[in-house]
Amino acid sequence: MVRMGPDVPLLNEYKQEFFWKRFPQTVLGGPRFKLGYCAPPYVYVNQAVLFLTPWLFGGVGTLLCQLQLLQELYAAVLSGTLMFAAAAGVQALALYAAWKSGTVVERLGAPNILIDEEEVEFTHCVSPETVRFIAPGKRFGLNVVLHTVLAGVLCGLGTWYVFLGRLTALYGSTGVSLIVFVLSWVTLCIAEYSLIVNTAAETATFQAQDTYEITPLTRPLYIFIFIALDLADRFSHAVPELQLASQTLHVVFVFLPLLWALGVLPPLDALLLWGMEQALVFGLGGSPMSSNIRLLLMFAVSFGVAVCNYFIPSTLGVVLFSTSAGFLLSLDLSQVDTLCRRQRIAFRDHRFHSGAPLLLTSFGWNLGCRELLLYLSLLVVAMAEAGLLHHFLGSAQSQDLVTRPQGPVRYLLLILFSLCWALREVQGAYVVGGMFLNPLYPKGMSNVQSFKQKNRGLHIAAAIRRILLYLVSPFAMIAFLSMDKSLRSLHSVSISVGLTRAFRGVWQSSEDALLQMVVVVLVQLAAGNKTLPGWDTLGTGVQLLLVGLLMDRLSQFLAKLKFTLTVLVTSWTEKKQRRQSAGTLLALNASLWPLVLAVVMLSALLSAPLLPLFTLPIFLVGFPRPQRSWPGPVGTACPCPDSVFYQQMSGSLASALRTAFASGSLGSVAPGSHFLGRFQDRMVWIMILERGYGYCTVNIKRRQSLSSCMSPMKAYLVQSL
């Protein structure tokens, strides 16, 4: 047994027993062959028969097709029809057992997780207790119909997917085809059992409760994706890329049970939210959102903006529309409702208490009339600048980088980036990535007042940086984009999406957009007047998209590689983390370093968590999920006696974060960043949820060092302007 120390086991006896009961159930899709108590043989036989039923029906269709009694299509329809009838029979038995036993399946909430620990008294092979144990049934009548139909469709298409003739045509070997055929049917049986009989406890879990029974659809969904790609290859006219993809995916199809068991493939809800977030951030120039509703709405609106840009006939109209839409969508428009309600309350109180003056908050802390006036002014100036530059200079032709209209703007962007980077670096105690001590930072402090006096110069530098980054740089980047030559070939999907993202990113994340634009400018200056094949034809918008995606994945790779090395080193150097198997695991990681590097790279490419198994230096890739990492809304989840203290403290903490974010003393703060704050025995965990022009949404969780209680508190909006 692997131990975490001299006396502490990694898995105690109870956990080991639970693991060996639950893990085979997860691997096989739901059958419970290890119960922990004696059960009649027919319980296991019934589960085995139900597990192999899809294979039986698929085998009938395959045999008739091999004997040339039926064509492939009709054989697949026959297998699907038989499976549909069997699935309907299983659901009818489950409903009959529930009615016979006089119980009603819960329609809401999660199933009872303690039912696996209870012993069931079986009377005979089709008794209500046996049927309910094997096939608990569905909570919703709609799911009974939907899952039954999907079971038939899955069996029919799966039979067509793994026909021996199809596999032989792909691989040209009967032996390889037979191996793939057998293992592929194991994958299909696992998905069918999870869909129609009993859903397994999935390793990849995103929602705390599967209220609407989405989990049974997860495994069939991935099979349908594989089948869809194979059908595209079948009905295409000999596309080599599709044939190669089909050959590869038929092999990957065999390993789907392993990927499901390891939790690499995300559930449906996490996959959908992750895909929308990636498309919003890297394809449409937005930011990760602080809630699912905001993500859905923002994705829909941003996608609509890209579609409108594609159909607008005038390039000037595209520039003006992209500039205005990018600016408006980068603001936190949800504050408009708060502003209206606050103004009504303030006006009512002022009317009833005419002697009391209206209180004004600090500029930029909350959305108010002054902030609206500022944003309106910025919008008008940005649209005027973009429209005039594009109208008078957008069509100018020049091959020289200096005389081209974008030439002076390129050097202005380089200067702005250098100044903003330098002014941000001097805000911390160390510079150049922590390598050198900052000579401008106060060396010591006797009290807060003296520290503020010594820090006055840094405050001036922070104010200059804010002006350059949030007021000067956006207009310089808009000027660069408005005169870009790719606007002349706007009516293509890639160019429209790229420019929509570029005009949005100017406001949504000014610092990142400035860095990406500087990289594109440096590539142009390095190339000179030469044409870079494949790069220049992309257009500036797509170039910025690729640079942003590459930089994000590269930063994730370096961070996860650092984390991997830290876990490897501390597993040996830290006595409390040193296990008896530490030397063996280190030697194994050293000998398999290409595999470890591939796991880290895959985790970075998918933007997925990198998980050390049981805190051991054995690394797995978690399933991709949104940046927030949890599906529920932000709110108090675990009230403790000192919750009031943390609630009172969060306002002042958010105010301090506002100053730190604006000055840049905490570095480049992006959604997904984490911070820890501590005061005596109290700790807070701060996570950046969303960021745009002039605002930043953070989640503050309290963490007590003397107890294990942790609960999320309200997400505070931190204004930067």
Side-chain angles (χ1 to χ4, degrees):
M1 183 187 301
V2 180
R3 294 178 177 273
M4 298 177 63
D7 300 318
V8 181
L10 184 63
L11 289 176
N12 56 31
E13 295 181 359
Y14 171 75
K15 291 181 180 179
Q16 287 185 19
E17 181 182 359
F18 177 81
F19 175 81
W20 290 115
K21 285 195 303 183
R22 182 59 63 87
F23 188 70
Q25 180 185 355
T26 300
V27 172
L28 296 177
R32 288 180 277 187
F33 293 123
K34 184 176 177 58
L35 304 180
Y37 56 89
C38 295
Y42 56 76
V43 174
Y44 306 102
V45 173
N46 288 347
Q47 293 184 87
V49 169
L50 289 174
F51 182 81
L52 298 175
T53 297
W55 199 345
L56 174 63
F57 296 148
V60 171
T62 303
L63 180 61
L64 293 176
C65 181
Q66 291 296 114
L67 295 176
Q68 298 183 354
L69 298 176
L70 285 177
Q71 296 180 2
E72 287 187 354
L73 179 60
Y74 297 113
V77 171
L78 176 63
S79 300
T81 304
L82 293 175
M83 187 62 212
F84 173 77
V90 170
Q91 294 304 314
L93 278 176
L95 292 174
Y96 173 77
W99 172 77
K100 193 71 175 177
S101 59
T103 60
V104 179
V105 181
E106 293 184 6
R107 304 187 69 85
L108 289 176
N112 186 7
I113 60 175
L114 300 178
I115 195 171
D116 291 341
E117 307 298 325
E118 298 177 356
E119 294 189 13
V120 180
E121 296 182 0
F122 303 100
T123 55
H124 55 84
C125 60
V126 290
S127 64
E129 295 80 10
T130 306
V131 174
R132 291 187 60 208
F133 176 80
I134 296 175
K138 308 297 180 181
R139 294 198 294 271
F140 299 99
L142 178 62
N143 286 337
V144 173
V145 178
L146 176 62
H147 294 183
T148 302
V149 173
L150 286 178
V153 174
L154 180 63
C155 185
L157 292 177
T159 303
W160 200 9
Y161 183 72
V162 296
F163 270 133
L164 283 174
R166 171 63 176 169
L167 297 177
T168 305
L170 284 175
Y171 299 106
S173 172
T174 306
V176 174
S177 301
L178 285 175
I179 295 175
V180 175
F181 175 80
V182 173
L183 296 178
S184 297
W185 268 111
V186 173
T187 302
L188 287 168
C189 290
I190 289 173
E192 289 279 9
Y193 197 98
S194 178
L195 176 64
I196 206 66
V197 182
N198 186 22
T199 305
E202 295 288 353
T203 309
T205 302
F206 188 62
Q207 298 283 350
Q209 295 182 345
D210 187 23
T211 304
Y212 301 105
E213 295 178 311
I214 300 176
T215 303
L217 301 174
T218 300
R219 301 191 182 196
L221 170 72
Y222 288 103
I223 293 180
F224 282 131
I225 294 175
F226 280 68
I227 293 174
L229 294 174
D230 182 70
L231 291 178
D233 179 40
R234 285 173 183 262
F235 295 107
S236 63
H237 299 285
V239 180
E241 292 79 7
L242 282 177
Q243 187 174 6
L244 178 61
S246 182
Q247 291 176 344
T248 306
L249 291 178
H250 271 82
V251 176
V252 177
F253 189 83
V254 171
F255 294 96
L256 279 181
L258 178 63
L259 299 178
W260 287 327
L262 295 178
V264 177
L265 300 178
L268 290 181
D269 48 356
L271 178 64
L272 178 63
L273 294 173
W274 172 80
M276 285 194 299
E277 185 178 86
Q278 294 294 307
L280 176 63
V281 174
F282 299 106
L284 301 172
S287 165
M289 295 287 112
S290 58
S291 66
N292 295 337
I293 299 298
R294 289 175 65 90
L295 177 60
L296 292 171
L297 293 176
M298 186 59 70
F299 176 78
V301 175
S302 302
F303 182 76
V305 171
V307 173
C308 292
N309 278 338
Y310 179 78
F311 288 104
I312 294 177
S314 170
T315 56
L316 179 60
V318 169
V319 170
L320 294 176
F321 181 73
S322 299
T323 303
S324 58
F327 178 78
L328 292 175
L329 293 179
S330 66
L331 303 175
D332 183 31
L333 299 178
S334 63
Q335 288 193 85
V336 175
D337 179 62
T338 305
L339 171 64
C340 296
R341 285 189 280 111
R342 188 171 65 243
Q343 293 297 328
R344 285 199 304 267
I345 295 174
F347 178 76
R348 183 184 59 197
D349 293 343
H350 180 69
R351 184 178 62 181
F352 288 125
H353 307 282
S354 57
L358 288 172
L359 296 177
L360 297 177
T361 58
S362 60
F363 182 65
W365 178 246
N366 289 310
L367 184 64
C369 297
R370 295 170 297 170
E371 287 78 9
L372 286 177
L373 182 61
L374 172 64
Y375 293 151
L376 182 60
S377 303
L378 291 175
L379 177 61
V380 171
V381 174
M383 292 182 64
E385 178 200 17
L388 292 174
L389 289 177
H390 177 73
H391 179 71
F392 291 105
L393 300 176
S395 59
Q397 300 287 339
S398 177
Q399 298 297 328
D400 191 2
L401 288 175
V402 178
T403 59
R404 194 182 300 176
Q406 285 181 318
V409 183
R410 287 188 177 93
Y411 297 101
L412 176 61
L413 291 174
L414 293 175
I415 295 173
L416 287 174
F417 174 76
S418 302
L419 290 175
C420 292
W421 178 83
L423 293 175
R424 189 192 70 187
E425 282 290 307
V426 300
Q427 296 299 318
Y430 294 88
V431 295
V432 194
M435 297 177 60
F436 304 101
L437 185 66
N438 183 8
L440 301 179
Y441 198 80
K443 298 295 187 300
M445 56 178 179
S446 57
N447 53 52
V448 177
Q449 194 67 26
S450 62
F451 178 77
K452 288 183 177 181
Q453 291 178 355
K454 295 180 180 179
N455 208 27
R456 186 174 302 171
L458 297 182
H459 283 304
I460 297 175
I464 297 174
R465 174 184 174 272
R466 290 172 61 186
I467 294 174
L468 293 177
L469 186 59
Y470 297 111
L471 295 179
V472 179
S473 296
F475 293 102
M477 289 186 280
I478 287 176
F480 181 80
L481 293 173
S482 301
M483 297 182 291
D484 191 68
K485 62 180 181 180
S486 62
L487 286 168
R488 293 192 291 270
S489 57
L490 183 64
H491 292 90
S492 65
V493 176
S494 59
I495 298 296
S496 298
V497 171
L499 287 175
T500 301
R501 177 195 179 275
F503 279 103
R504 170 78 177 274
V506 164
W507 304 102
Q508 187 77 52
S509 181
S510 301
E511 192 169 6
D512 293 338
L514 182 60
L515 174 59
Q516 296 164 16
M517 208 163 289
V518 164
V519 172
V520 172
V521 167
L522 291 177
V523 172
Q524 293 176 353
L525 293 177
N529 295 324
K530 299 179 181 178
T531 301
L532 298 177
W535 177 256
D536 292 336
T537 57
L538 294 175
T540 303
V542 181
Q543 292 173 5
L544 292 171
L545 189 152
L546 294 177
V547 169
L549 181 61
L550 179 62
M551 293 178 63
D552 176 79
R553 294 305 189 255
L554 181 61
S555 62
Q556 287 196 41
F557 173 75
L558 295 177
K560 291 173 181 177
L561 183 62
K562 179 182 177 182
F563 169 74
T564 303
L565 295 176
T566 302
V567 174
L568 287 171
V569 172
T570 56
S571 66
W572 179 263
T573 57
E574 296 290 334
K575 293 183 179 180
K576 293 183 179 180
Q577 298 182 19
R578 188 184 302 172
R579 286 89 170 180
Q580 295 178 356
S581 60
T584 304
L585 292 176
L586 287 176
L588 188 64
N589 279 275
S591 59
L592 299 177
W593 68 267
L595 180 60
V596 176
L597 195 63
V599 170
V600 176
M601 188 175 299
L602 180 62
S603 174
L605 289 176
L606 295 177
S607 187
L610 183 65
L611 307 176
L613 184 63
F614 294 114
T615 69
L616 296 171
I618 302 175
F619 300 97
L620 301 176
V621 180
F623 65 89
R625 67 200 75 183
Q627 287 273 16
R628 289 181 291 112
S629 303
W630 69 88
V634 178
T636 302
C638 177
C640 292
D642 57 349
S643 297
V644 177
F645 170 80
Y646 287 96
Q647 290 174 354
Q648 294 293 326
M649 179 221 26
S650 296
S652 58
L653 179 59
S655 178
L657 289 175
R658 167 208 172 197
T659 304
F661 291 164
S663 64
S665 58
L666 295 180
S668 180
V669 179
S673 302
H674 296 264
F675 299 96
L676 281 177
R678 180 181 176 184
F679 177 73
Q680 295 180 355
D681 62 337
R682 292 179 171 86
M683 297 179 64
V684 291
W685 174 22
I686 305 165
M687 181 179 180
I688 311 300
L689 300 179
E690 177 183 347
R691 187 163 190 181
Y693 189 74
Y695 79 96
C696 181
T697 306
V698 302
N699 181 33
I700 302 175
K701 291 186 177 183
R702 59 185 175 86
R703 176 71 172 94
Q704 289 180 270
S705 59
L706 299 180
S707 68
S708 59
C709 180
M710 177 183 290
S711 67
M713 292 163 35
K714 183 179 179 182
Y716 281 86
L717 199 67
V718 181
Q719 293 288 334
S720 296
L721 285 176

